[in-house]
Amino acid sequence: MLKFAPYRPRALSLGLILGLWLTILLTLVPTPAWAGGNGSHGVAALRSTTAATTDSQCQAIDRATPGRSVASSTAGSTARTTGQSRPIPITDLDCNNPPPDVQRIRDRGKLVVAVLGVDNPPFFMTLADGSLGGLDIGLAKALAQQLEVDLELNRSAQTFDQVVDQVYRLEADLAISKISRTLNRGQRVRFSRPYLSMRQGLLVNRLQLAQQSQNRRTTEAIRALAGPVGVIQNSSYVGFLRQKFPQATVVEMPTWEEAVQAVNRGDLLAAYRDELEVKKVMRVQPDASLNLQTVALTDAQDHLAMVLPWDSTHLLSWVDLYLETQGQTYTVDTVLDDYADYWSEPEGS
């Protein structure tokens, strides 16, 4: 008669032996301080230690961080600031408070925004009641509202480069003033993401263009543009013109209005600016189409953005987030349509 012995795998026996030895070794190892008396107390102690460390980082710290004061002027004022920096002591570092570049605005109770002193509708212009309106002013008001502070506009700058200089000298928290993003300006200040992108444009004298074409197509004549071309002095279009049309002669004009009049008279071959301003001339002056022709450059863009100081890293991220989440996309045509009632003869650049 056959008998079968029960099967006892060696692996099971080996596991029991190793488990016994591991139990003995664990009893000889000292218990870590954070582990407490048992498992539950150890976890609680660890959580308590972590919370204490976090709280200590968020409690009052007696130290100073590099700060700065922003001195500014109200609309129309010419008051200047020394631009000197002063330390801002952080005596109550709270985890619920924003970083210093935003907190100093909250503490001051106002957002200082630099805007060109010369009206430039539909971006910023004086309304019938004496207040300021326009696309850029609306953006500035919205940012101040989101920060829950008042808005103060510094309009002491008379050129676009001066507006950028004000931000660089810390005379404003930021600038919203139809400022074009350029590599040269980007060496000194930070730019937000664009809130409006436009094609660059030309306002050309029809007769002079026909004479220069010499039986060539208009597109070919534009590419080889040679002759006096007007741009606004101290504007980004001085550099744009030299880069895009190296054969043209740069003629810097005090205002866009003067440049348009010079082209209309035939004193200039063309005037160079953004697509919106070129289109606006035709809407404001319908008869101008008899002497003038508009040209939009499909391969040249002008991106308008807010200007911030180089050290305002968190404020820049917050501004970009606002532009991303506001839910409105601006185009040249929508801006022209939205502010059609406020059009006037162009004065700025």
Side-chain angles (χ1 to χ4, degrees):
M1 183 174 180
L2 296 176
K3 295 182 179 180
F4 297 93
Y7 175 67
R8 296 183 178 87
R10 296 182 178 181
L12 181 61
S13 301
L14 182 60
L16 292 175
I17 295 174
L18 291 175
L20 179 62
W21 277 107
L22 182 60
T23 303
I24 296 174
L25 289 174
L26 289 176
T27 59
L28 300 177
V29 176
T31 302
W34 54 264
N38 56 44
S40 60
H41 289 294
V43 172
L46 176 60
R47 290 176 178 172
S48 176
T49 303
T50 304
T53 302
T54 303
D55 290 341
S56 66
Q57 294 173 348
C58 297
Q59 290 173 351
I61 298 178
D62 186 14
R63 66 182 178 88
T65 188
R68 52 193 176 82
S69 59
V70 176
S72 61
S73 61
T74 56
S77 173
T78 57
R80 297 282 182 168
T81 179
T82 60
Q84 295 179 348
S85 300
R86 63 179 177 83
I88 299 178
I90 296 182
T91 57
D92 187 15
L93 185 60
D94 189 338
C95 283
N96 294 321
N97 286 344
D101 57 347
V102 175
Q103 186 62 40
R104 59 176 163 247
I105 299 173
R106 300 283 296 274
D107 292 341
R108 192 192 315 126
K110 62 182 177 182
L111 175 70
V112 181
V113 177
V115 180
L116 185 69
V118 181
D119 283 3
N120 195 152
F123 296 94
F124 41 91
M125 61 273 193
T126 304
L127 306 180
D129 60 0
S131 63
L132 287 177
L135 175 62
D136 290 359
I137 304 302
L139 288 172
K141 290 179 178 179
L143 291 178
Q145 183 179 12
Q146 290 294 326
L147 289 170
E148 299 180 343
V149 296
D150 295 330
L151 173 64
E152 183 172 306
L153 300 176
N154 183 345
R155 301 202 68 194
S156 58
Q158 296 303 304
T159 68
F160 289 96
D161 282 342
Q162 287 179 7
V163 174
V164 176
D165 290 341
Q166 286 181 328
V167 176
Y168 176 74
R169 293 196 303 265
L170 312 179
E171 297 174 10
D173 297 307
L174 53 88
I176 314 177
S177 187
K178 200 193 175 188
I179 299 294
S180 301
R181 297 201 309 180
T182 66
L183 290 175
N184 185 47
R185 291 169 175 168
Q187 296 179 42
R188 306 172 66 234
V189 295
R190 292 178 179 267
F191 284 106
S192 70
R193 59 182 295 172
Y195 61 87
L196 178 62
S197 294
M198 305 176 289
R199 294 178 295 180
Q200 296 177 12
L202 285 165
L203 195 63
V204 186
N205 183 283
R206 287 183 178 274
L207 179 59
Q208 290 201 33
L209 180 62
Q211 293 174 347
Q212 189 175 111
S213 298
Q214 297 179 351
N215 298 323
R216 294 179 298 175
R217 292 185 301 175
T218 302
T219 55
E220 295 177 354
I222 293 297
R223 291 194 186 99
L225 199 66
V229 179
V231 291
I232 308 306
Q233 62 186 11
N234 299 318
S235 72
S236 58
Y237 277 81
V238 176
F240 291 159
L241 178 59
R242 289 172 177 156
Q243 180 181 11
K244 189 67 179 176
F245 302 104
Q247 300 181 58
T249 301
V250 179
V251 181
E252 296 192 44
M253 306 292 290
T255 66
W256 174 244
E257 180 182 17
E258 294 180 54
V260 173
Q261 292 174 352
V263 176
N264 197 30
R265 291 192 307 265
D267 297 337
L268 296 176
L269 167 63
Y272 192 32
R273 209 180 178 191
D274 60 78
E275 175 189 9
L276 186 145
E277 295 296 341
V278 170
K279 285 185 174 182
K280 190 171 70 175
V281 170
M282 293 304 185
R283 292 203 184 191
V284 174
Q285 308 175 44
D287 294 341
S289 59
L290 298 175
N291 297 325
L292 304 177
Q293 177 179 346
T294 61
V295 177
L297 306 179
T298 58
D299 59 346
Q301 293 284 321
D302 184 4
H303 303 288
L304 304 185
M306 302 184 195
V307 184
L308 294 93
W310 63 268
D311 62 340
S312 295
T313 55
H314 186 71
L315 181 61
L316 171 63
S317 298
W318 181 79
V319 167
D320 283 342
L321 181 61
Y322 170 79
L323 292 174
E324 180 182 348
T325 58
Q326 67 168 326
Q328 182 165 357
T329 302
Y330 300 108
T331 66
V332 169
D333 291 329
T334 59
V335 171
L336 286 173
D337 291 338
D338 290 344
Y339 293 94
D341 295 339
Y342 302 109
W343 290 344
S344 63
E345 290 294 327
E347 296 178 304
S349 164

